Amino acid sequence: MEKPLAIIELSNSAIKLIVGVFLNDQPLVIYRTSIMLEGEIYQGNILNREGLINKIQRLKNIQDKEIKLKLSISDVVLVLPPLGFTVYQNEKITNVVSPTSLIEPLDIQNVISLVKRENLKPGLTYIDIVPDAFFTDDGNAYFKPPIGVKSNSLQIKAKIHTLPLRLVDDYTSLIIDSGLRPRRLIVSSYASGGLINNQLPDLNNYLLLDMGEDMTTLSLFGEKQIYDTTYFFKGFKDLRRYVANKLGIALEEAHKLINLYGLNNFTNSFKPVIASANNNGQESNVYLSSLNVAIKEYLDSYYDEILKAMNTLLKNYGDDVRRFPLVIIGGLSYLDGIKDFFMERFASNDKVIFFVPKVIGARDATLTSLLGALVIASSYLGTLSEEEARVSKITRVARK
C-alpha cells in the first residue's frame, strides 16, 4: 500500500487537513480534520502569522482516541488559493541524449527544464508544469513520460501554472515556520478539477463553480485541463450576514435558520413564526416567508456576481463555451433549495451538476480541492515537485 499523503489548505475561514492514499485509481481518506480561523487570513492575506503557526502546529501530531489513530506529519502537499492564478501554454523540443535513442528520465528533465526557462511576467513564480502530451519524432503522442521509447527527439506541450511570488512566499514560509515541509504546491482550482476528472471521467469540458465560505471561484476546463480562473470575494458567510441584517437577528440565529430551512419554495396560507427579532428595542416576529425573501434577495445578487465573473472569464472564448456543463461545489452548494435556483437560471448549459465526492470518509463538496490534490500528487499530473509529501509515521493506538 502506498504511504499516506498529507494535504493541507488554508482559506479565510479554516485550516483543512486530510491524510489519505490513492488506491485502485480512487482517493481514500484515512483522517480528516479542520481548525476554524478567526480573522488570521483575510482575502488571501495573512494577518496573524503567529496565530496561524500555533494552529498549524497542532496538526503535526494527531492522536484520535475515538478511532484509535495516531499520526505524525512532517511533509505536506500545500493547496494554494487561486488569487492571481495564471495558466500559460508552452511547447519545447530537445534531442534525446542516449546513443541508443531510447528516451530516459534525463530527457524528460531536459525538456521540462526548457519550459521552465521561459521568462515569466515580473512578480510571478512557477507553481507547476503540467504536460498536455509528449511527442516523439514519429508523431506519436504520450500522456505519460515515454521512458524507453525510441526517438531522436522529445517534444512537450505543457501548461505552466503561476501565482504571484509574494503569495507563494507567504504561504510556504508559514508552513516551514510551523515545522512542516511543503513538498508540493497545487492551486485549489486545478486540484478540484483533478477530483472531478477522476470521478466524472466522461466530462471533458466544463465550467467549475466553487461557492465557498468567503470566496467564489469560476474556472474553465477544456479536455480536462484548466485554462483560466477568476474569483470574487463573496460566499456563504455573506448570506448569513445579509439574512441577519435583513431580519434584525443575531448572526448565530441567521446561521441556524438558513441551515434549518434553506430556500423554501412552498407557498401556503399558513405563515409560521420561526424566530423573534429585536429592532431598536422593539420585539417582532420573523416568519418563514421573510427568511425566504431575504435568502432569495441575496441569491439574486449573488447570481448577478457570478454572471459578471463568467463574462470576465469567457470573454476571449467562443459562445459555445458558455454552454459547457456547469459543475458546482463548495459549502453554499448544500443550501436547501439552491439546486432548483441554479438549475433554472443556468438552463442553457448542457448540464448543471452539483458535485459530491464519492470518497469513503469524505463525501463532502467542501473537501473537493484537498481530495483532488491527493489524486494529482499521487499521479503524474505535474512536474515541478516529483517527491510527494508523505506522512512520516502512521500507527494505530494500542487498545487499553
Side-chain angles (χ1 to χ4, degrees), residues 59-353:
L59 300 173
K60 291 172 60 179
N61 295 288
I62 297 172
Q63 185 166 344
D64 193 318
K65 294 181 179 179
E66 184 176 342
I67 60 174
K68 297 181 169 52
L69 190 69
K70 182 188 292 184
L71 295 174
S72 177
I73 298 171
S74 58
D75 304 338
V76 294
V77 173
L78 176 59
V79 179
L80 292 167
L83 307 177
F85 178 44
T86 307
V87 180
Y88 297 97
Q89 189 74 41
N90 196 284
E91 60 181 88
K92 289 290 184 288
I93 189 168
T94 187
N95 293 323
V96 173
V97 298
S98 170
T100 63
S101 296
L102 295 177
I103 296 173
E104 299 177 351
L106 178 61
D107 300 303
I108 305 298
Q109 295 172 20
N110 287 342
V111 76
I112 289 170
S113 68
L114 291 176
V115 176
K116 195 177 178 183
R117 289 178 198 167
E118 196 77 15
N119 290 328
L120 298 178
K121 291 181 180 179
L124 295 181
T125 188
Y126 288 93
I127 295 299
D128 215 342
I129 296 172
V130 182
D132 293 327
F134 297 91
F135 299 87
T136 50
D137 54 16
D138 58 7
N140 287 328
Y142 299 83
F143 299 105
K144 292 185 178 181
I147 305 297
V149 176
K150 191 169 185 177
S151 180
N152 293 315
S153 64
L154 178 65
Q155 182 182 9
I156 186 175
K157 291 185 178 180
K159 289 180 174 61
I160 301 172
H161 293 183
T162 71
L163 280 174
L165 177 60
R166 182 193 61 80
L167 182 145
V168 175
D169 283 349
D170 284 350
Y171 279 74
T172 54
S173 63
L174 180 69
I175 295 297
I176 293 168
D177 291 345
S178 301
L180 298 171
R181 288 180 292 175
R183 298 293 293 273
R184 179 154 186 182
L185 309 178
I186 301 176
V187 180
S188 61
S189 302
Y190 173 54
S192 296
L195 184 67
I196 291 165
N197 295 341
N198 172 261
Q199 302 212 330
L200 300 176
D202 296 330
L203 192 64
N204 292 318
N205 308 310
Y206 56 93
L207 299 171
L208 176 62
L209 177 62
D210 185 351
M211 304 188 299
E213 183 74 4
D214 304 274
M215 186 170 76
T216 298
T217 308
L218 189 67
S219 305
L220 170 63
F221 284 79
E223 296 301 321
K224 299 186 180 296
Q225 289 288 347
I226 191 166
Y227 275 82
D228 212 344
T229 290
T230 190
Y231 62 89
F232 57 92
F233 290 106
K234 201 169 187 179
F236 206 166
K237 184 178 289 186
D238 299 277
L239 169 60
R240 293 193 288 269
R241 289 180 184 137
Y242 184 87
V243 168
N245 292 334
K246 178 79 174 180
L247 301 183
I249 57 179
L251 195 60
E252 294 79 8
E253 183 74 6
H255 177 76
K256 183 182 75 173
L257 294 179
I258 291 167
N259 287 339
L260 182 62
Y261 295 103
L263 181 62
N264 191 321
N265 293 314
F266 294 104
T267 57
N268 54 50
S269 57
F270 178 60
K271 296 182 179 181
V273 175
I274 58 174
S276 61
N278 190 323
N279 294 298
N280 299 321
Q282 295 277 327
E283 290 286 336
S284 61
N285 292 329
V286 175
Y287 296 94
L288 180 58
S289 58
S290 302
L291 176 65
N292 279 337
V293 168
I295 292 177
K296 189 175 183 304
E297 284 179 356
Y298 175 82
L299 290 181
D300 284 336
S301 172
Y302 183 59
Y303 171 71
D304 289 341
E305 293 283 346
I306 292 173
L307 288 186
K308 290 177 185 177
M310 192 172 289
N311 289 334
T312 299
L313 180 71
L314 304 180
K315 64 182 178 182
N316 296 322
Y317 301 93
D319 289 341
D320 59 326
V321 173
R322 296 176 179 274
R323 294 188 292 273
F324 277 4
L326 181 66
V327 181
I328 300 177
I329 60 175
L332 190 51
S333 68
Y334 284 105
L335 175 72
D336 281 348
I338 200 169
K339 186 173 182 178
D340 290 339
F341 181 90
F342 277 108
M343 295 281 274
E344 177 183 339
R345 282 157 181 78
F346 288 105
S348 61
N349 289 72
D350 290 343
K351 293 179 182 176
V352 178
I353 302 167

